[in-house]
Amino acid sequence: MSRVDISGLSRSFGRHRVLEDVDLDIADGEIMAVLGPSGCGKTTMLRILAGFLAPDSGTVTFGGTVVAAAATSLPPQRRRVGYVPQEGALFPHLDVRGNILFGLPRRERSTRRLTEMLDLAELPHVLARSYPHQLSGGQQQRVALARALAPRPRVVLLDEPFSSLDASLRLSAGREVIRVLRAAGTTAVLVTHDQGEALSLADRVAVMRAGRIAQVDTPVQLYRAPVDADVATFVGGATMLPATLHGRVASCALGELAVTQPPARPLSDGHATALVRPEQVRLAAPTGDGPTAVVDEVAFFGGHASVTLRQPGGLAVVARVPATMTPSVGAQVAIEVVGAVVVFQ
C-alpha cells in the first residue's frame, strides 16, 4: 500500500513559520497536486515527504508506516520514494540507460528493467545510448520519471517538474507524465504554482496558503465551490462583486443573479460578495436595458480572449470570449451573467 497520511505537520526556519499544522490524506494510487504561490510552504512539505527535512512536529506515514516525525525519521533511501526535481536534473555525463538505472542496486541494473521503463515511458529504445543534451525537454522529463519509477517506489514526488518547459510543451509533457504514473499505479504528489496544471492533471488539488491547507477537493469542485474568496481568485479568474443577498438571489452591479448554495456553508440575507467567473460573462450590443460597460483591454490567447470591462463608477469585470467574438477596445457592450454564482459572507 502507498497511501500517504500527513498529520499536524509543522516546520519553522528560525522565527519564520513555514508549515502550520498541515493535515492531508492521499489515497493509494491517487495523484494529488499541491497548489500555491511561492513561499506558501508547498516545497518544504515535499522535502519533508522526501526525507530531506525533518518536521518540528507532526507525522508522515506511507502505507501505515511512520517515515517522518519530530523525534525520528527514516532516511530518504529507506522510504522508497521517487523524486523528480525541477528540470528533471538528469546526470549529464550518463546516457539514458545510466540515468534510468542509476537508483537501482547493481545486481538489478538489467536490460530487462531498462526495457520495461522505456516501454512504460513510451521512449524509443534507440534513445538508451543518447545523452540528456540530445533529448527534447519532454523526453528529458520522461527519462527523469522513468528513473524515479525504476526502483518501484511507494510514492513519487514531483517538484514543479514542468516549469522549465516551453508553454507549448508543458501541457503535452504533463499529460505524458500523468499517463506513465497511472500506468504504474503509483501514488504521486505534484507540487506546482500553475493552476491550469493542477486542475488538468490531478485527481484532487490541495490549495496551500501561508503554510496551511486552505481547501482539498477535486478540480471541478475546487473551481465550482471554493471555500473562500481568496481560493476563488487564485484558482481561475474571477470578478468579486459587492452584493446584497435575498434568499437565492444576489443583487449587484451586474443585476439580479441566481445563487448556488455551497455545501455545508449556510447563507443569510444581507451583505455578501458574489463570485463571477469570466466564462459566465456574455457580451452583446447595448439595447438600453440591463448593465453595460466599456471595453478597457483585450488580451488575445488564440482560441479565446480575456476582455477587461469598466462599468460606470470604475468597477472592473473580466469576461472570457471566443476569439471570433472579440470586441474592440473602447466599444460599449451590454453584460449578461449566465448561470448561478457562488457568494461569500
Side-chain angles (χ1 to χ4, degrees):
M1 294 291 290
S2 52
R3 176 184 175 88
V4 176
D5 293 288
I6 301 169
S7 178
L9 203 65
S10 297
R11 172 73 194 208
S12 297
F13 295 100
R15 296 183 178 180
H16 180 50
R17 196 74 156 172
V18 179
L19 294 177
E20 183 68 49
D21 199 26
V22 171
D23 294 325
L24 184 62
D25 298 332
I26 305 168
D28 183 25
E30 182 177 29
I31 297 172
M32 173 71 75
V34 180
L35 173 67
S38 297
C40 71
K42 59 186 186 296
T43 297
T44 297
M45 184 177 75
L46 197 75
R47 290 175 64 81
I48 291 174
L49 294 180
F52 304 151
L53 290 173
D56 295 333
S57 60
T59 59
V60 176
T61 65
F62 292 168
T65 301
V66 176
V67 298
T72 179
S73 295
L74 286 179
Q77 65 271 20
R78 293 183 57 195
R79 296 190 183 195
R80 290 182 58 199
V81 168
Y83 184 72
V84 181
Q86 293 183 29
E87 303 180 16
L90 298 178
F91 301 115
H93 64 290
L94 295 180
D95 59 14
V96 167
R97 175 190 174 91
N99 269 283
I100 290 177
L101 301 180
F102 179 82
L104 293 172
R106 188 173 299 276
R107 65 182 180 278
E108 295 181 24
R109 297 179 188 178
S110 65
T111 300
R112 178 180 177 181
R113 187 57 178 160
L114 173 67
T115 300
E116 289 173 349
M117 300 316 299
L118 289 172
D119 289 343
L120 180 64
E122 291 190 354
L123 288 164
H125 292 194
V126 69
L127 292 181
R129 292 302 180 185
S130 299
Y131 285 84
H133 72 274
Q134 298 172 310
L135 306 176
S136 68
Q139 288 172 335
Q140 289 182 28
Q141 286 302 120
R142 281 185 281 165
V143 171
L145 184 60
R147 180 179 64 184
L149 289 170
R152 298 178 177 85
R154 292 188 291 187
V155 181
V156 171
L157 309 175
L158 304 103
D159 185 7
E160 304 271 9
F162 315 114
S163 60
S164 64
L165 299 181
D166 294 337
S168 59
L169 282 176
R170 196 171 299 152
L171 182 58
S172 61
R175 287 174 175 168
E176 281 299 308
V177 165
I178 296 305
R179 182 199 61 77
V180 174
L181 288 169
R182 293 198 190 285
T186 306
T187 305
V189 182
L190 165 67
V191 160
T192 181
H193 66 275
D194 187 305
Q195 298 95 325
E197 194 170 280
L199 295 176
S200 64
L201 300 180
D203 297 316
R204 287 192 299 155
V205 180
V207 179
M208 287 198 73
R209 182 173 61 215
R212 295 178 179 270
I213 300 290
Q215 184 175 357
V216 183
D217 221 323
T218 64
V220 170
Q221 281 301 106
L222 188 66
Y223 190 79
R224 290 180 178 175
V227 294
D228 56 36
D230 287 339
V231 171
T233 53
F234 184 72
V235 181
T239 298
M240 309 302 294
L241 300 171
T244 301
L245 188 64
H246 298 283
R248 301 294 292 272
V249 176
S251 302
C252 65
L254 298 185
E256 305 286 310
L257 309 181
V259 171
T260 178
Q261 175 69 47
R265 181 152 51 86
L267 300 173
S268 57
D269 289 354
H271 294 296
T273 299
L275 160 67
V276 179
R277 294 293 189 189
E279 63 273 14
Q280 291 184 271
V281 180
R282 300 285 175 84
L283 308 182
T287 60
D289 297 323
T292 61
V294 174
V295 177
D296 190 48
E297 182 180 325
V298 176
F300 188 69
F301 293 98
H304 74 276
S306 178
V307 181
T308 302
L309 309 153
R310 293 286 176 183
Q311 285 198 292
L315 179 66
V317 179
V318 178
R320 185 179 297 124
V321 301
T324 55
M325 301 175 63
T326 305
S328 301
V329 173
Q332 187 171 34
V333 296
I335 301 176
E336 178 189 5
V337 176
V338 179
V341 300
V342 174
V343 299
F344 304 102
Q345 290 184 310

